[in-house]
Amino acid sequence: MTLKVAIFADETGWHTRQLREALRARGAEGRCVDLEACRIDTEASRHGLLIPGWGDGLPDAALVRGIAGGSFEQVTKRLAVLHLLERLGVPVYNRGRAIERSVDKASTSALLHAAGVATPPAWAMESEAAAQRLLMRETAAGRTLVLKPVFGSQGKGLQQVGWVRDADHPEGHAVPLPPPAAVQGLYYLQRFVPPQGAADEPSFDWRVLVVGGRARAAMQRVSRHWIHNVAQGARCVAAPLTEALAEPAEQAARTLGLDYAGVDLIPSPGGPQVLEVNGVAAWRGLQKVTSFNLAQALVDDLLDRVMPRRARSAARQA
């Protein structure tokens, strides 16, 4: 019987086509579903879920490609669907709990730090006074902080504060914190790691894709801006997957419990540091500079490692 896999995505396009083709190559079928359209309905089915395209049944597995933003209540329901599927024995790739850890940047920073993964110092606080004291301390030491939305993505909403050096102020100038209303009442701050090269040269970070606990591909994201996201105009350059990149990337994915992850690392004098971990990582830019099929690697890991593991676990519980 053909395996039917739900591809949870808030939009269809290149990534979902790649995943459906990779599933087809393994004799499976991929159906795209938006978590927004999924419902909890305890009258409609014995398990209480309605997944469009499955009637009162369930998919054989689910692969999470994207979760749309929304209100706290809406996102909670979408993640609840993933949690319920897993409790019902459906393998979910990545699992809801792992996505929750990775989408919350403050939680990610704390978990990485506790696990001994090299990552810049970070702070999350609701008190404006405490944030101001931190900023004064860091500014006095000549350091810059990066203010980030705790649930942000694609480099949107990032802002340097503290002692900031830029084209207009090469020696640096003090940039204050915005008011609490501008940050939804939560200051998430990460210490800025300055570029290692000359000030007038482009800088870069690395994106490493980890699949099934193993780093599979890496690239540099090169930009003249301090933000290196491809969505913000950075260009992708092939990079060798060295042990210095693979080891922290794999440790980061393992710490958050992710089946697959896009791990962003920044060069620093002591070696690469993990900036962020993406549990619903895009890979189109990386695919352009990588020789093997990344979507196939994800699908193979789901079918060959995750599904048999969950089946063995269910058999033991039975």
Side-chain angles (χ1 to χ4, degrees), residues 136-152:
M136 289 174 62
R137 189 191 77 193
E138 293 290 294
T139 302
R143 290 193 285 257
T144 305
L145 297 176
V146 180
L147 179 65
K148 298 182 175 184
V150 75
F151 297 128

Side-chain angles (χ1 to χ4, degrees), residues 16-246:
T16 53
R17 287 195 301 272
Q18 292 284 303
L19 290 170
R20 293 184 71 183
E21 290 172 8
L23 285 163
R24 195 176 301 117
R26 291 292 306 269
E29 178 186 345
R31 298 180 184 175
C32 296
V33 184
D34 193 336
L35 280 165
E36 179 182 347
C38 298
R39 289 160 44 195
I40 294 173
D41 189 332
T42 58
E43 278 193 331
S45 67
R46 59 178 176 76
H47 45 70
L49 280 177
L50 277 182
I51 311 297
W54 268 271
D56 61 357
L58 294 172
D60 296 304
L63 195 157
V64 185
R65 168 63 202 105
I67 302 176
S71 68
F72 179 78
E73 290 81 2
Q74 288 173 318
V75 173
T76 298
K77 186 231 79 179
R78 293 163 195 171
L79 288 168
V81 171
L82 301 183
H83 292 311
L84 289 167
L85 283 171
E86 187 175 4
R87 287 182 64 87
L88 291 164
V90 177
V92 179
Y93 188 96
N94 282 307
R95 289 171 286 183
R97 185 70 188 95
I99 291 173
E100 286 172 348
R101 295 187 193 106
S102 65
V103 78
D104 177 353
K105 291 185 175 62
S107 179
T108 294
S109 290
L111 290 167
L112 294 178
H113 172 74
V117 180
T119 187
W123 301 263
M125 57 193 73
E126 297 180 46
S127 167
E128 182 182 13
Q132 292 288 3
R133 288 193 295 271
L134 169 67
L135 186 69
M136 289 174 62
R137 189 191 77 193
E138 293 290 294
T139 302
R143 290 193 285 257
T144 305
L145 297 176
V146 180
L147 179 65
K148 298 182 175 184
V150 75
F151 297 128
S153 63
Q154 297 184 329
K156 297 175 182 176
L158 274 60
Q159 178 182 347
Q160 288 186 337
V161 295
W163 195 249
V164 177
R165 296 169 179 83
D166 53 35
D168 296 327
H169 306 87
E171 300 303 318
H173 67 125
V175 176
L177 287 171
V183 293
Q184 288 73 52
L186 178 66
Y187 292 96
Y188 169 66
L189 296 147
Q190 190 178 58
R191 186 175 289 164
F192 178 64
V193 181
Q196 301 302 295
D200 59 345
E201 294 180 353
S203 60
F204 69 92
D205 67 5
W206 291 282
R207 162 61 65 93
V208 176
L209 185 68
V210 178
V211 180
R214 185 160 66 94
R216 299 296 304 272
M219 69 175 176
Q220 287 185 351
R221 303 186 299 183
V222 182
S223 176
R224 290 195 173 275
H225 196 271
W226 63 273
I227 299 174
H228 298 106
N229 295 74
V230 175
Q232 300 299 319
R235 58 187 176 89
C236 304
V237 178
L241 185 55
T242 63
E243 184 178 352
L245 291 177

